[in-house]
Amino acid sequence: MFKIVAFDMDETIADTIPMCIQAFQNSISPYVDHELGEKEIMKTFGLNEIGMVKSVVTQDWESAIKDFYDQYEQLHDKVTEMFPDMLRLLMFLKKQKIVVALITGKGEKCCAITLRKYQTYLMKYYAVQKELRIKRKIWNIFCANILYLKMNFVT
């Protein structure tokens, strides 16, 4: 039996990738010499949002990231629900006394925005990475006892 089930945030918990792409496109395109396309944006994935912005904006990236955060928060208002049955799954895991973790490549600010938007669902079940760093908890669990769930996003 697994002792920890770890979920990736984007496209595993909720349908957030299209919103992330749109926020990036709307906010960052004005800082580059062309309209950013979906494929170009997808190439920046794997970095946190600051790394993504720095990879395409050469000047004034600080203003670009601020615009991105504003756009991300505004568009996130349209994506406030998790995939169907996710809450039921989380409640089941909690009853089974299985530790539930959230893993994300999002930076601290984007992660905080998403957690606020899903507050009703997620705040009860997940420890934010920053809190884990502060507490420095050490889990005595072998990797064989951890299940990591991530959906692959293919364009």
Side-chain angles (χ1 to χ4, degrees), residues 100-102 104 107-108 111-112 115-116 119 122-139:
V100 177
L102 178 66
T104 185
E108 191 174 329
C111 186
L115 289 174
R116 259 195 331 272
Q119 183 173 331
L122 295 177
M123 290 304 214
K124 297 176 186 177
Y125 302 100
Y126 295 111
V128 179
Q129 184 179 3
K130 183 178 176 184
E131 291 174 13
L132 289 175
R133 272 189 268 129
I134 291 169
K135 292 180 183 178
R136 299 281 186 202
K137 284 191 174 185
I138 298 173
W139 294 93

Side-chain angles (χ1 to χ4, degrees), residues 44-115:
T44 68
F45 278 32
L47 302 170
N48 67 23
E49 60 274 9
I50 294 172
M52 290 172 67
V53 170
K54 283 182 169 182
S55 74
V56 296
V57 175
T58 54
Q59 294 182 341
D60 203 17
W61 70 267
E62 292 94 344
S63 295
I65 194 69
K66 182 189 175 309
D67 290 348
F68 172 76
Y69 288 136
D70 292 343
Q71 185 71 197
Y72 182 82
E73 183 146 25
Q74 181 182 7
L75 289 174
H76 216 315
D77 287 338
K78 298 175 185 174
V79 184
T80 58
E81 293 185 17
M82 298 187 317
F83 284 126
D85 296 324
M86 185 55 72
L87 184 59
R88 197 172 74 186
L89 174 59
L90 295 173
M91 293 172 80
F92 170 79
L93 294 171
K94 188 173 181 178
K95 279 185 182 178
Q96 300 301 312
K97 300 194 185 310
I98 295 173
V99 175
V100 177
L102 178 66
I103 297 174
T104 185
K106 290 183 183 303
E108 191 174 329
K109 188 161 185 171
C110 269
C111 186
I113 290 168
T114 298
L115 289 174

